[in-house]
Amino acid sequence: METLAALTIAVLVTCGVYLVLRARTFPVVLGLSLLSYAVNLFLFFTGRLVTGAPPLAGGSVPTADPIPQALVLTAIVIGFGMTAFVMILALRARGELGNDHVDGKGGNI
Amino acid sequence: MNHWLIVPILLPLLAGVFNLLLVNRRPHLQRTLSLGATAALAVVAMYLVAIADAGHIEVYQLGNWPAPFGIVLVLDRLSAMLILLTAIVALLTLLYAINGDDQRGRDFHVLFQLQLLGLNGAFLTGDLFNLFVFFEILLIASYGLALYGFGAVRTRASLHYVVLNLIGSGLFLIAVGTLYAITGTLNMADLALKIAATDAEEMALLRTSALLLLVVFGLKAAILPLHLWLPALYSNAAAPVAALFAIMTKVGVYAILRTYTLIFPAEGSVPDVASDLLLPLALLTVAIGAIGVLGSQRLREMIAYLVVVSVGTLLAGIGQFNVGGITAALYYLPHTTLVTAGLFLLADLIARQRGSTDDHFTPGPPLLQPTTLGVLFFLAAVAAAGMPPLSGFLGKLLLLKSVQPQHAIWLWSIVLSGSLVALIALSRAGSRLFWKTEGEQATTMQADFFRLAPAATLLAMSVAMMVLAGPLTRFAEATATQLLMPQQYLDAVLSSEETS
Amino acid sequence: MDLLLIILLPTLGALLPPLAIRFGRSASAWTAAAITAAALLLAVEPLLAVFNATPVEYHLSWLPQVGFDLQLRMDGLAALFVILILGIGLLVILYARYYLAESDPMGRFYGMLLLFMGAMLGVALSDHLLLLLVFWELTSLSSFLLISYWNHRTDARRGARMALTITGAGGLAMLAGFLLLSHIVGSYQISVILDAGDLIRAHPLYAPTLLLILIGAFTKSAQFPFHFWLPHAMAAPTPVSAYLHSATMVKAGVFLLARLYPALSGTELWFIVVGGTGLATLLFAAYTALFKHDLKGLLAYSTISHLGLITLLFGIGTPLGAVAGVFHIINHATFKASLFMAAGIIDHETGTRDMRLINGMWKYMPHTATLAMVAAGAMAGVPLLNGFLSKEMFFAETLYIVELGSLSWLLAAAATLAGIFAVAYSARFIHDVFFNGEPVNLPKYPPHEPPRYMKIPVEILVALCLLVGVFPAFTVAPLLALAAGSVLNGPLPEYSLAIWHGFSLPFMMSLVALVGGIALYSQRHRLFRLRDRLFPVPDARTLFWQAIEWLIDQAQVVTRALENGSLQRYSALLLLAAFAAIAVPLLDNRGTLSGPLPMTPLDPLTVLGALVMIIAAITVVLWQRQRLTAVIALSVVGLVVSLTFVRYSAPDLALTQLSVEVVTIVLLLLALFFLPQQGMAESSHARRSRDLLLALGIGGGVGLLTWGMLTRPYETIAGYYMENSLPGGGGANVVNVILVDFRGFDTLGEITVLAIAAIAIYTLLDRLQLPMPTTDPQGRVWSQERHPVILAHITRFLLPLALLVSIFLFLRGHNTPGGGFIAGLVTAIALILQYMASGIDWTQQRWPVQHHPVIASGVFIASATGIGSWFFDRPFLTSAFGHFHLPLAGDFELATAMLFDLGVYLTVVGVVMLILANLGKLTKRSTPDGEPN
C-alpha cells in the first residue's frame, strides 16, 4: 500500500509540475491545483496509513494521528483561497495584457 | 504571561477588520484608524525591544497550552528588533501613502494592515506550521498590494510573483511534513531537540527538509538564482508598496537566520546545509545584483537591484555563522531596509517632476526642486553605495572584519567591487536625473512637506545609525550571541508551564 | 577637544553660507571666511603645543566592537597640513568672492568648499586608519560636488564622475590595505603603527598591504597611470583647482606616503614601486605639460609632475629625500596655488584660457604679470625662489642613489631632463601669455587688471615664495624641521637650507635645466610638429569613457539575459532548486531510504481509487487544451482525494475536501468562461521534454520521500491531544478541537488568509472588462435563457434544507465530524445554487447582503473570542472550558469554542459569496464584444 501511495503522489506531482511550466495561465492554474492535491496528500500521509480509526477521543485506541489531519484541513482552506485568487488573477492578467500568456506575449486572443 | 507579546499581531488584525467594515465609505476614517494602529504598533514595538534587550526570552502560550502542544509566540532580541523595524518602515510609508496614493484603488489600508499582521506573526511565532500560515497571510496580502493600481507591467510582474510563491508554499509544506513525519512535532524548539537526537538513519530525510526550507526562504529573500522575480515586481509597484516591500525580503533572511541557528545549527546533527551553501550563494547574489545595478535603465530598477545586493550582503554575514558575521548582518539589515524604503519614495518624488521621462536615465525636464531632492538623493546614494561615513559603510566594515581568512579574498573583493560599481552607477544616475536636463520644467506641482518628510526621515535614519553605531552594534552583537547559543531559547520555550 | 572642533567647525559650518546668501554674496563669503578664521584661531593653541614638541591628542569612543574610535592627533606633519589647508583656504575664499560670476550660486560654492575643508582637516588630523579613510572618501565626495559645480556643462559632469570613480576606487583598495595593516599590527592607531615598522616589513602580508595602500595614494595624487582624472577636474571653477587640485586634496596621496613612511618604507618593493611611479609621473607629466595650449591644462600637468617629484623623493627612501619631499610639498602649494589664481584672473579678464590667443598681457595687466612670472620662476626652480631650494635638494638626492648600481646615474639624468621640461613649460607660460606679440581676437577686449582684492591672495602667496626663497632659515626652517621630524619618526638628518652651496653638482644640474629649458622652449615650434607627427598620444579620457560605457552595456546584456521576464524560466529555476534539494540528500544517502515498517496489504478498492486518480491526473495533462475536459478530470482527482481521506480515517477532511471541491469547480468553470476554451500547443518539443524530465525528477523525488516516510516509525506528540481533547478541550472530535482550541491560532490565520484572498479578488474584479465568447467551442450560441425553471424551483426548495444541514454540521462539529468551516461551505453552495438557477438580480433582490461586513464580522468574532480570555487573565484564545466549576461547565466551554467556530462560519460564507457572486456579475458587465453595457 505504501508503494501505491508513493506512486500516486509521484504521478500527481509530476503532472502538476509539468502543467505549471506551461505558457498559458489556465494550465498553470490546473497544475497548481494538482500540486496542492499532492501536497495535501503528502501532508496527510505524514500520519502514516491508518485505516478505520478516526481520531475521536474516548473511542478505540490507537487512532489515526489527528495532527496531520488538522494541518491538512488548514492547508486545504488556504489552498482554496490561493487557487481562487490565482484563477481570478489570470482573468485580470488577460484583461490587462490582452491575452492569456503568462508573460503577456503574443497579440490579443 | 505578558499579553503585550500578541499585541503586534492583534493590532493590525483588528485595524484591518475595522477598515474592512468601513470599506469604500470614509477614507479619512480609514486613514486615521490605519495610522493610529501603526503608530501604536511602533510604540508597543519599542516596549518589546526594551523587554527583549533585558536579555531573557519571553514566551506566550496561545490557548494556554504548553509548548510543544500549543502554539507559542517567542520574543527574543531578533524578533523584537524586526518588529520595531517593520513598524517604523510601515509608519513612514503610510504617512507617505495618505497623501493620495491610498485612494488609487480599493482596500489599500485593509491590505496594508493585514500585511503587517503577517510580518509580525512570522517574526513572533515559535511554531513551524504557524510560520507557514503567517507566510501565507503576508504573501496573499502582498499579492494584493503588489497589484495595487494595476497596469499591464505591474500585473505581469505580480502574476509571476504569485505563481512562484504558490510553488514555494507547496515546497514549504513538503518540508514541514517531512520534519513532522520524522520528529512528530512542529514546535521549533522541540524540533531542534528531536533533530539533535535523531540517528543517522533519518539523516537523508532531514537534510532534504533542511534544503527545501533553504529553497523556500531563499525565494522569499531573493537569493541567486531565485531573485529574478524581484526587480520587475519592486520597480513597478506603487511607491508606498515598494517602500513597504523593502521589509519583505528580510522575512526570508529572518527565516534563514532562525532556522539555521535554531533548528539546523551549523555544527548540529544535520551539517553542511546552510553553512556550506549560504556564503557562496550570497557572494554570487552580490555580484549579480551589482551587475544589475550597473545595467539598470531606470532609477527604480536600480534600487530593486540594490535590494538584491543588500540581500547578498546580509547573507554573506549570516552565512559565516559566527558572532562577527551575524552582528554585521544585523547592523546592516535595518540600514538597508530603511534606506531602500526611503529611496523608493524619493524615486517617486523625482519621477513625478520629470513628466513623461519618469525615472528613466534619459535627459528629461529639469526638476522643480533640484536642491531639496538633490541633497536627499546624495545622502541616499552615499548610504546605499556604502561610502563613508554613513551606516552603509559601517555595516560593510563590520562585514569585512568578520570574515575568516580563508574566505577573505572572495568576500572582500566582491563586496568592495560591489561598492565601487554602486558608486559608478549612482553617480551616473544622479548626474543624468538632476543635471543632464533639457526642455522646460514638466510640472509646477512641488512635492509638499508631507511627501518629503517621510522620505527624508527614512534616509536620515542612516545618519542616526552612524551616530548611534556603538549602541546599535552592541545590541546586534547581543542578538547574534543569543542566536548562536540556542539553549536559552530552548529552555524558555519548553520549560514554560501552564498558568492555569 | 580643540582638534575635534577644528574639524567640526567647517564641516557643520558648511550649512551657513548657503543660508547667509540671502543677505548678499559678501555676507556669504564673510561667513565662510569667518568660519575658516575661527578654525585657524582654534588651531593656534595646539599648533604652539606641537611646536613645543608635544603632540596634541583627542580620543572619543565610537564603535568599540571593531575598535573604531575618534582618535585625533596633531604632530608636525599634521600641523603643516592644517596650516596649508586653513591658510590657503582663507585666501581662496577671498579670491572666489571676486572670481565667481553674478549668476553662480555662491552660497552652494562656499558650503561645499567648507565641507571639503573639514574633510581635509580630518585626513590631516586622524590618528586612526579607518577615520582617515572616512575623511579621505569625504574629500573625494566633496571634490565630486565642486568639480561638477557648473553642472550644466558636460565636461564638468563627466570630469566630476571620472574623478570620483578613480579616487573612490583607490579609497576602496586603501580600505582593504588598511584592514590588512591593522591585522598585522593589531591596532588601527597610526601612532602605534608607525612604531611597528619592522614587524610590518617582515610580515608575509606586507606586499599586498603596501600595494593596496599605494593604489589609494597614487589615485589621489594623480600618479601615472591614474593621473588622467586631474586634468579633467580642471572643469571646476579655478578657486577649486587652486585649492583642491594643486594645494591640498591631491597632496593627500603624498601626505599618506609621508604619514606611513616609517611603517612601510625602506624595502626594495617600496623603492621600486614608489620611486618608479614617481619618476614615470615626473617625466611623463612634465613632458606633456609643455604641449598643453590650455593654461589650466599646462598647470594641471605641471602639478602632476611635481606630485611625481614628491612621490619619487619619498620613494628614494633616504631621510634627506623625505625632508626634501616635505619641503617641496610646502613650496609647490604656495607657487602652484598662486599660479592657478593668476591663470584664473587671466581667464576672468580675457574670457579664454587658450595660450594661442592670450599674448602680450604684460601691456594690459603688468601687476598680475609680475606676480605670475615670479611664481612661474619658482615653478621652474629659478634661484632666490623657494622652488629652487627644494629642487636642488632633489637633484642632490638623485646623485647619492646606489640601489641601481652602475645605472644609478640614470636617475640624476632623468631628474635633470624633468628639470629641463619644467623650465621649458614655465618659460612657455611666461612668454606666451605675457609677451609673444599681440593677443589674438580675445572674447573680452581689452583686458585689464582685476579688482584689487582679487590680487591680494596672489600677492601674499608670491611674497611667501620670495621670502622662503631668500631667507629659508628664518621662515620655513622650523616648520620644515617639525614636519620632516614627524615624517621620519626619528632624528633629522643633517641638511642646510642655504641658497648657495658653491658650484656643487646639484647647482650644475639646475643650471643645465635652466639653459636647456630655455633652449628647448625656443625650439618649441619644431618640437610641436615633431610630436604631432611622431606619437599622437591616445586620449585617456575617451578610453576611460569607452571602458565605462562598455561595462554598462555588458551589465545590461547580462542582466537582460538572466532576467528575461519569462515566468517559465523562473519557475523552472525554482523547481530545479527544489529538485536538487530533494535529490542530493536522497542520492548520497548514508543510511537506507526505506524504513523498517512492514508494508500494509493492498486492497482492490484502494488500488482502483489510486488508478482512477492517476488516470485522471494524466488526463488533465494530456487534455489540458480541451480545457473543459481538463477541469472535469481535475474534479475527479479531487473527488478521489476526498475518498482517500475517508479510506484513511479522516472524515472531517473528506467533508471539507468535498465541499471545497464543489466551490473550486464552480469557480474554475465560471473563470473558464472568460478564457479561451482551447489552448494551443506552442512549447517547442525540446522544452516539453525538458519540462517533462524536470517534472519526473521532482515527482520521483517526492515519491521516494513519501516512501521513505511511510516506511518509518515515528514518535508523535499526538497522544497529548487524544488525552486532553475531552478534559481540556471539551470535544471528542480531536481534529476539530485542535482546530478551534489547541491550534486555534492557525485557524484564525487561515480564515484571515481567506478574508484577504476575497478582498484581493474583489479588487481584481474591480472595473475588469473581458471579452465574452458568444458561442462555445463547437460554435453553438450560448443559450440566452439562462435560468431553467425546474432547477430554479428545486433549488429554492432546497435552500432551507441546505441551511438546516449546515446548522446541523456546525453544531455537531465539536464532537463528531463537521464544524464551522464545512457548514459555511454548505451554506455558501446552497446560496450559489440560487444565483446559478435564478440569476443574480433575482437572488440579490431577495438576499441583499453586503459581503464585506460579513467577512469582517466573521474574523472579528473569532479574534474577539480569543481576546475574551484576557478577562479571565488567560492568554489569547484560551477556551473558557474548565474556568468555572459549574455543573453546566461543558455548555459554557462549548460557548467559546462555538463562538470561534461561528466566526469561521461567517467568514467562509462571506468569502465564497463575495468571490462567486462578483465573478458571476462579470457576465453582466461584459458583453459579447467586451464593451460595457
Side-chain angles (χ1 to χ4, degrees), chain A residues 22 24 37 50 92 94, chain C residues 649 661 674 682 691 766:
Chain A
R22 297 303 96 216
R24 298 282 160 182
Y37 287 140
V50 180
R92 183 80 198 199
R94 193 198 178 185
Chain C
S649 14
E661 202 51 39
F674 296 100
E682 49 199 320
D691 295 349
D766 178 23

Side-chain angles (χ1 to χ4, degrees), chain A residues 55-59, chain C residues 722 725-726 729-737 813-816:
Chain A
L56 297 174
Chain C
M722 302 306 292
S725 178
L726 265 175
N733 180 358
V734 184
V735 176
N736 181 278
V737 176
H814 212 48
N815 291 309
T816 47

Side-chain angles (χ1 to χ4, degrees), chain B residues 259-342:
Chain B
T259 311
Y260 299 104
T261 52
L262 178 63
I263 303 179
F264 302 107
E267 66 291 341
S269 60
V270 184
D272 67 43
V273 174
S275 46
D276 286 10
L277 280 174
L278 213 48
L279 190 54
L281 282 177
L283 292 180
L284 284 173
T285 311
V286 173
I288 282 296
I291 293 175
V293 169
L294 195 59
S296 301
Q297 320 258 26
R298 295 169 50 211
L299 182 56
R300 288 193 184 88
E301 187 188 358
M302 186 176 278
I303 303 169
Y305 270 106
L306 282 169
V307 173
V308 177
V309 174
S310 72
V311 167
T313 317
L314 286 170
L315 293 173
I318 293 170
Q320 301 172 38
F321 292 101
N322 61 14
V323 174
I326 295 180
T327 306
L330 290 179
Y331 176 84
Y332 194 76
L333 191 145
H335 147 79
T336 178
T337 312
L338 295 162
V339 170
T340 313

Side-chain angles (χ1 to χ4, degrees), chain C residues 725-788:
Chain C
S725 178
L726 265 175
N733 180 358
V734 184
V735 176
N736 181 278
V737 176
I738 293 179
L739 285 172
V740 298
D741 197 338
F742 291 107
R743 297 185 66 91
F745 199 53
D746 277 343
T747 312
L748 182 59
E750 153 201 328
I751 60 173
T752 316
V753 171
L754 271 189
I756 305 170
I759 300 157
I761 288 173
Y762 185 61
T763 57
L764 277 173
L765 294 169
D766 178 23
R767 286 192 293 283
L768 171 62
Q769 293 292 349
L770 283 171
M772 215 167 60
T774 46
T775 65
D776 71 356
Q778 283 67 37
R780 290 167 299 194
V781 180
W782 289 102
S783 144
Q784 285 312 306
E785 202 269 305
R786 285 221 211 90
H787 318 307

Side-chain angles (χ1 to χ4, degrees), chain B residues 68 71 189 274 366 448 465:
Chain B
I71 296 171
D448 61 0
M465 286 191 68

Side-chain angles (χ1 to χ4, degrees), chain C residues 211 373 430 455 560 571 687 721 730-731:
Chain C
L211 294 177
M373 285 190 276
I430 296 170
K455 280 181 295 190
R560 289 287 151 271
S571 311
R687 155 165 279 162
Y721 298 114

Side-chain angles (χ1 to χ4, degrees), chain C residues 395-734:
Chain C
F395 287 149
E397 274 317 290
T398 58
L399 289 171
Y400 306 131
I401 290 302
V402 286
E403 278 83 347
L404 295 177
S406 59
L407 293 177
S408 298
W409 60 271
L410 270 178
L411 193 56
T416 324
L417 182 61
I420 293 175
F421 280 120
V423 173
Y425 65 66
S426 310
R428 180 174 182 209
F429 181 86
I430 296 170
H431 183 263
D432 278 21
V433 173
F434 300 108
F435 308 100
N436 197 21
E438 281 301 305
V440 189
N441 51 31
L442 294 175
K444 290 188 193 171
Y445 191 85
H448 38 66
E449 289 284 352
R452 179 81 200 83
Y453 292 105
M454 201 167 172
K455 280 181 295 190
I456 290 182
V458 192
E459 286 160 350
I460 295 174
L461 288 168
V462 169
L464 284 174
C465 295
L466 272 166
L467 281 173
V468 172
V470 182
F471 314 106
F474 308 104
T475 50
V476 76
L479 183 58
L480 174 58
L482 194 66
S486 60
V487 169
L488 294 171
N489 193 29
L492 275 175
E494 274 307 314
Y495 66 90
S496 89
L497 288 178
I499 311 164
W500 180 246
H501 298 106
F503 284 98
S504 59
L505 205 47
F507 183 70
M508 292 302 167
M509 290 163 75
S510 299
L511 278 186
V512 175
L514 273 174
V515 177
I518 305 288
L520 189 63
Y521 175 68
S522 62
Q523 298 304 315
R524 62 185 177 286
H525 301 300
R526 278 211 197 74
L527 206 63
F528 286 11
R529 282 197 298 280
L530 190 70
R531 174 173 182 270
D532 297 346
R533 200 165 61 251
L534 285 186
F535 19 69
V537 278
D539 180 4
R541 180 185 57 186
T542 44
L543 289 180
F544 175 82
W545 288 115
Q546 277 167 2
I548 292 285
E549 290 310 321
W550 181 84
L551 269 178
I552 290 173
D553 293 345
Q554 292 313 304
Q556 263 173 35
V557 172
V558 174
T559 311
R560 289 287 151 271
L562 286 171
E563 188 213 342
N564 64 347
S566 151
L567 174 61
Q568 288 166 288
R569 163 182 295 182
Y570 303 170
S571 311
L573 279 169
L574 173 59
L575 291 162
L576 206 61
F579 171 69
I582 299 172
V584 170
L586 296 190
L587 292 184
D588 71 48
N589 178 12
R590 285 173 282 284
T592 63
L593 179 55
S594 51
L597 280 187
M599 305 272 266
T600 50
L602 291 168
D603 67 280
L605 203 62
T606 322
V607 176
L608 180 67
L611 285 180
V612 172
M613 183 160 10
I614 290 172
I615 293 164
I618 295 173
T619 318
V620 178
V621 175
L622 294 182
W623 293 37
Q624 47 163 307
R625 289 182 211 92
Q626 304 303 324
R627 293 182 170 176
L628 201 57
T629 327
V631 174
I632 293 160
L634 186 73
S635 64
V636 173
V637 177
L639 208 63
V640 182
V641 169
S642 49
L643 289 177
T644 320
F645 292 147
V646 179
R647 174 77 178 78
Y648 293 109
S649 14
D652 283 277
L653 292 189
L655 275 172
T656 317
Q657 178 67 46
L658 206 58
S659 34
V660 164
E661 202 51 39
V662 176
V663 180
T664 315
I665 296 306
V666 173
L667 181 81
L668 288 181
L669 289 176
L670 264 176
L672 188 53
F673 182 63
F674 296 100
L675 288 171
Q677 309 297 303
Q678 278 163 314
M680 59 213 66
E682 49 199 320
S683 314
S684 67
H685 188 280
R687 155 165 279 162
R688 284 214 294 277
S689 34
R690 179 204 77 181
D691 295 349
L692 188 58
L693 223 60
L694 186 53
L696 283 169
I698 297 179
V702 179
L704 287 177
L705 212 55
T706 321
W707 163 263
M709 161 182 100
L710 285 175
T711 50
R712 274 176 167 64
Y714 74 120
E715 288 298 313
T716 170
I717 57 173
Y720 179 90
Y721 298 114
M722 302 306 292
E723 289 150 20
N724 289 276
S725 178
L726 265 175
N733 180 358
V734 184

Side-chain angles (χ1 to χ4, degrees), chain A:
Chain A
M1 200 64 89
E2 282 70 12
T3 330
L4 192 63
L7 180 69
T8 322
I9 287 185
V11 173
L12 286 185
V13 171
T14 312
C15 298
V17 169
Y18 182 79
L19 284 176
V20 163
L21 290 169
R22 297 303 96 216
R24 298 282 160 182
T25 48
F26 196 73
V28 172
V29 175
L30 294 180
L32 288 170
S33 349
L34 273 181
L35 276 182
S36 68
Y37 287 140
V39 169
N40 290 342
L41 276 180
F42 180 87
L43 206 53
F44 178 58
F45 286 157
T46 57
R48 312 299 194 263
L49 306 175
V50 180
T51 51
L56 297 174
S60 64
V61 278
T63 68
D65 185 344
I67 303 171
Q69 298 195 15
L71 302 189
V72 173
L73 220 152
T74 310
I76 292 176
V77 178
I78 290 178
F80 164 68
M82 293 296 172
T83 315
F85 177 81
V86 71
M87 188 64 250
I88 308 297
L89 175 55
L91 292 190
R92 183 80 198 199
R94 193 198 178 185
E96 299 278 349
L97 304 171
N99 60 51
D100 69 336
H101 190 288
V102 288
D103 308 329
K105 288 212 199 96
N108 288 18
I109 299 161

